[in-house]
Each structure stands twice: as C-alpha cells, then as structure tokens.
Amino acid sequence: MSSPGTVALVDYGAGNLRSVENALREVGARVLVTRDPAAVARADRVVVPGQGSMPECAAAMQKSGVAESLVLAISLGRPVLGICVGLQLLFEDGEEAGGARGLGILPGRIEKLPSSVKLPHIGWSPVRLVGERPALFAPLDGQYLYFAHSYAAPADAAGAALLATHGRPYCAALARENLFATQFHPEKSQRAGLALLERFVHV
C-alpha cells in the first residue's frame, strides 16, 4: 500500500469542498485545498470535487489554468479522482445549459437523464460492477451509494466500471489507468464511500 503523499483538492469556485476535504482527512490523506495550477501539477494525487453545472465548472478550470495541470497530472501517471461534476467535465461535451464543452480528456457526451423519472435524482441507488473489475471499485458491487444529479455519462462510456439506473442505465464510476471518477458522492456515501476514498489515497 503506497503512501498518500499530498492530495490536491481542486477549488475552482464551485463544489462541496469542505465535506470532501473532511472525508479525505478522515482516511489519512494530507489535503491541500488549492486553485493554483502549479500545486495541482506537483501533487501526488488530485481530487476534483463537483457540485454545480458542468459548463461553469469546466470554464472555471480552463480560466484558472487548473485544467491544463490536471491533464499534465494524468499524463504523468498521478492518481486522479473526479467526483460528480468532476466526472462529467472529463468528457468532450454535454447537454446541460443548451450545450457545454468539457475538458475533452475522455471521449463522449454527458446527457440528461430521462424526463420520465424525477429529476434531479437525489438519494441512494445500487450500483453494479462491469468491465475489467478495477480493484478501486470492485468492493462496491451491489452497494447503495448517494447520488445528486440530472445528467450522466452513458453506460458504455470509456472505462465504465460501475453502472446505476435512473430512467436508464448510466456510468456511475469509471477507471482508465490512473484516472478514476464517480457520479456518486463518496463523501456522502457513509462507510462504503469512505472505504473507496481510503483505497484511492493508497492506490
């Protein structure tokens, strides 16, 4: 099990920073809350939290320069975790606000969940494991996790590791080498979520 080192928690002006910071500290991480691109680039791990809209969050990260540092951290093999909107903005674009540009790190489009179900989807949903069964997410198979969203990546998104269903199946978590992301909120998912964060800070 590797040392957590420094975990850069990206502050881009939106997002549930305090609860994510507290959860990371609870599992032993040394957390640096920052919007400094240089600090993000040199951190041992990076967490991109998410509350708000995909277009606003992506634009804020581009404007601050943090987006470029995030791409650099991924290319250097540093473990990166996106949470909720932090997953969505990894993709090329999305439907929110009439059309939103993402960071383009992953191919694909973020789409609104069906209007036949209550939106936003807020509450607990079960997830199921798919794909290559990455060690980070494998223990979550069949667990109920906490979601708060109206948009989601498709079930066949690149690296999809967990699926959930609300009107349609969608990507609840993904893993591609050192890049991980969750549509659910691990910091609000009680014991299962804290265990996930603990695995991440030691991956």
Side-chain angles (χ1 to χ4, degrees), residues 14 25 84 87 93 148 160 166 172 181:
R25 292 191 189 282
C84 196
L87 175 149
D93 56 28
H166 189 72

Side-chain angles (χ1 to χ4, degrees), residues 61-163:
M61 288 187 67
Q62 294 279 16
K63 183 177 180 180
S64 70
V66 167
E68 187 176 344
S69 294
L70 182 66
V71 173
L72 176 61
I74 294 169
S75 71
L76 292 173
R78 310 243 173 87
V80 171
L81 173 66
I83 297 173
C84 196
V85 177
L87 175 149
Q88 296 177 11
L89 56 78
L90 297 174
F91 287 81
E92 293 170 316
D93 56 28
E95 292 184 341
E96 191 170 1
R101 292 279 308 200
L103 301 181
I105 296 169
L106 296 175
R109 180 174 176 82
I110 302 297
E111 297 181 344
K112 193 170 187 177
L113 294 171
S115 58
S116 58
V117 292
K118 184 178 180 180
L119 297 177
H121 167 40
I122 298 177
W124 299 81
S125 288
V127 298
R128 62 184 176 89
L129 195 64
V130 295
E132 298 181 0
R133 306 179 67 86
L136 192 72
F137 295 126
L140 295 175
D141 190 26
Q143 297 269 5
Y144 278 75
L145 303 168
Y146 186 86
F147 293 81
H149 64 120
S150 296
Y151 297 82
D156 62 354
L162 292 171
L163 300 186

